[in-house]
Amino acid sequence: MKEKMIPAFAKANGGLFGSTEKADIGDAYAKMAEEKIDLMGWADPFMPDPSMPDFIRETLAEEVMKESAAHYTAPVGSLRLRQLLAKKLKQQNGLDVDPMRNIIITPGSDSGLYFAILPFVHEGDEVLIPSPSYPNNFLDVEIMGGIPVAVELKEEEGYQLNVSLLEEKVTERTRMVILTHPNNPTTVVYDRRSLEALADFCIRHDLILVCDQAFEDFTFEHEMVTPASLPGMFERTVTVFSFSKGMGLSGLRVGYIVADDKVMDTMYANAVAVVGAASTSAQNTVCKALEHPEFMKVFEEAYAYRRVKAYEILNSIPGVTCAMPQSGFLCWVNVSALGSSSEIVSYLVREARVSVNDGINYGAGGEGHLRIVIGVYRDNDKVIDALYRIRDALCRLAEAKGIA
Ligand SMILES: Cc1ncc(COP(=O)(O)O)c(C=O)c1O
């Protein structure tokens, strides 16, 4: 069967799921849960503990019982949800959009990301991806027959965008830049100055920007600028959003994309054929969440506490460095002095009974790094305890390697 596939699709080989034995996601993960290994590799708030506040749980239960649950919303999503989102986009993102023209609801933002890239990438087109970056950015482009071009951001520059690095990689065949902002895995929130430089770069080279803002909600002391709000950018940017990370509602599978009318004209037509919004009950439930976003404070407080503790604990390990997380609930940790990241991931499963992500999954610049999800579990102490076990195991390894 595989030989009958489009070659680009056939060679995709699972992406992040291709190395499940390295403890990322998949069946191997379920097996580790049974073995009581702490799973700190899945970016799902408070997973596997309860994350849904009672009022949302009740709304969901009511919505599932309604007759409407059995029926479609508009294929581009419920109008009530799009109206609430237009309000949120104005307040939070500085985007003045028409709910009738500029928003499509998607079943989670992974499909939104795919759908945002799809219309623009022709066979052989190059797509610049500042890296390390979310693995699907590479995989999606490959499946479409495009060529993902990693632009490795520099750790010593705090992984901030550096347009001169993009300039080095741009060619006649470059069609698009895909930005994960804030970044997963580095957590970096791109600053206004570098986003303005990126906007200028996209305009000068006539490029499309796809900006994935799944992690936009918790950026602590960092200003979160939505690139589509910068002058000249709305008409060339497709922005992807999610209810999974900030609101912790990943199981409802709701995301949305926002773009200019001209882009949406075609996307609306295809949304009917391909995307089909999300389930009616899920859409109605996230409306309630948007009307009462105060519940997100629980997440924010937990992450604010955990990031400081994680920073202290991880930086106390000889040979290990970790910048203060700038957003969300991840840590990006340099363990290169202790060995390859694949070795360290396996070592931590054995010696600390904790499973984290191998940096090699995140493209250029990922080797020698771990992504640790500190947003798992509801109980702060459980996370801190796992971090101490990581510290103890890595301290033993450092000692064995003679690293003081
Ligand atoms: C950067 C980023 N974008 C998008 C997604 C997809 O999330 P969802 O499909 O649940 O909205 C993820 C999930 O891990 C992510 O990390």
Side-chain angles (χ1 to χ4, degrees):
M1 286 296 266
K2 222 172 171 184
E3 70 283 356
K4 295 193 192 309
M5 290 180 178
I6 301 162
F9 201 99
K11 78 172 170 39
N13 209 20
L16 186 58
F17 292 84
S19 56
T20 45
E21 73 283 4
K22 302 243 169 49
D24 268 303
I25 308 175
D27 294 344
Y29 220 68
K31 190 160 161 281
M32 281 194 283
E34 275 170 26
E35 291 167 3
K36 301 269 179 285
I37 290 167
D38 282 317
L39 304 179
M40 301 181 85
W42 206 320
D44 191 347
F46 292 178
M47 165 105 174
D49 298 330
S51 65
M52 199 185 268
D54 288 345
F55 79 95
I56 295 184
R57 191 182 305 279
E58 282 154 21
T59 306
L60 180 60
E62 281 163 22
E63 288 298 333
V64 168
M65 294 305 288
K66 285 183 187 165
E67 195 48 47
S68 59
H71 300 289
Y72 296 123
T73 62
V76 294
S78 103
L79 181 57
R80 178 175 160 228
L81 177 52
R82 284 180 283 130
Q83 283 167 335
L84 285 165
L85 287 172
K87 242 192 239 170
K88 173 263 173 191
L89 288 161
K90 186 163 186 137
Q91 282 165 4
Q92 190 173 329
N93 303 98
L95 298 177
D96 214 343
V97 305
D98 179 351
M100 304 291 286
R101 300 286 299 136
N102 302 120
I103 304 172
I104 292 179
I105 308 301
T106 56
S109 70
D110 266 336
S111 63
L113 180 63
Y114 189 86
F115 197 54
I117 302 168
L118 183 65
F120 302 101
V121 175
H122 304 63
E123 184 86 30
D125 277 353
E126 293 174 2
V127 175
L128 301 179
I129 305 174
S131 306
S133 189
Y134 185 49
N136 287 5
N137 295 338
F138 303 97
L139 186 61
D140 286 355
V141 172
E142 272 170 21
I143 290 172
M144 291 167 203
I147 302 167
V149 178
V151 180
E152 188 177 338
L153 301 178
K154 295 191 188 313
E155 188 162 7
E156 59 276 20
E157 292 177 4
Y159 296 112
Q160 270 296 337
L161 268 179
N162 178 342
V163 166
S164 62
L165 300 175
L166 294 174
E167 292 283 4
E168 283 170 18
K169 296 278 174 88
V170 74
T171 72
E172 294 278 278
R173 293 160 77 192
T174 308
R175 169 87 45 176
M176 174 185 286
V177 177
I178 304 180
L179 193 67
T180 303
H181 168 54
N183 196 1
N184 169 7
T186 66
T187 77
V188 166
V189 183
Y190 296 113
D191 61 30
R192 180 177 286 277
R193 198 179 44 82
S194 65
L195 289 172
E196 283 170 354
L198 175 69
D200 174 64
F201 171 81
C202 289
I203 292 167
R204 262 189 298 111
H205 294 284
D206 195 18
L207 304 177
I208 299 290
L209 175 66
V210 167
C211 185
D212 175 358
Q213 300 194 181
F215 278 92
E216 70 178 359
D217 287 299
F218 308 117
T219 58
F220 310 108
E221 64 276 18
H222 303 274
E223 182 192 21
M224 176 65 205
V225 176
T226 297
S229 70
L230 298 175
M233 285 307 284
F234 190 68
E235 52 269 42
R236 61 175 66 247
T237 304
V238 184
T239 312
V240 179
F241 299 90
S242 176
F243 283 88
S244 298
K245 311 299 181 186
M247 291 197 162
L249 296 171
S250 58
L252 295 188
R253 310 306 302 130
V254 190
Y256 52 106
I257 53 187
V258 174
D260 178 71
D261 287 30
K262 292 191 184 64
V263 176
M264 282 301 193
D265 276 344
T266 352
M267 284 198 156
Y268 263 44
N270 287 306
V272 179
V274 183
V275 182
S279 85
T280 300
S281 51
Q283 290 187 65
N284 289 343
T285 303
V286 299
C287 284
K288 190 66 151 216
L290 277 173
E291 284 166 344
H292 301 282
E294 312 78 46
F295 74 94
M296 293 163 72
K297 268 259 162 284
V298 175
F299 297 117
E300 189 168 25
E301 280 167 17
Y303 305 153
Y305 174 73
R306 294 175 191 191
R307 74 178 186 135
V308 174
K309 291 296 285 183
Y311 174 80
E312 286 165 10
I313 295 169
L314 295 167
N315 283 299
S316 71
I317 307 164
V320 171
T321 55
C322 167
M324 177 68 82
Q326 294 187 9
S327 64
F329 47 81
L330 312 171
C331 284
W332 183 242
V333 191
N334 186 334
V335 291
S336 55
L338 301 183
S340 78
S341 41
S342 303
E343 283 163 6
I344 307 285
V345 167
S346 305
Y347 173 82
L348 288 175
V349 172
R350 266 193 334 269
E351 298 293 323
R353 306 204 58 73
V354 178
S355 161
V356 300
N357 301 113
D358 186 343
I360 57 169
N361 292 311
Y362 303 89
E367 167 52 35
H369 294 74
L370 307 177
R371 190 190 78 155
I372 304 180
V373 181
I374 56 171
V376 292
Y377 301 125
R378 197 169 177 104
D379 180 4
N380 288 337
D381 290 343
K382 199 159 160 41
V383 175
I384 307 301
D385 180 64
L387 288 169
Y388 277 128
R389 291 205 312 279
I390 291 175
R391 182 200 63 180
D392 293 348
L394 292 183
C395 282
R396 288 197 299 277
L397 187 62
E399 199 180 341
K401 290 189 178 250
I403 298 166

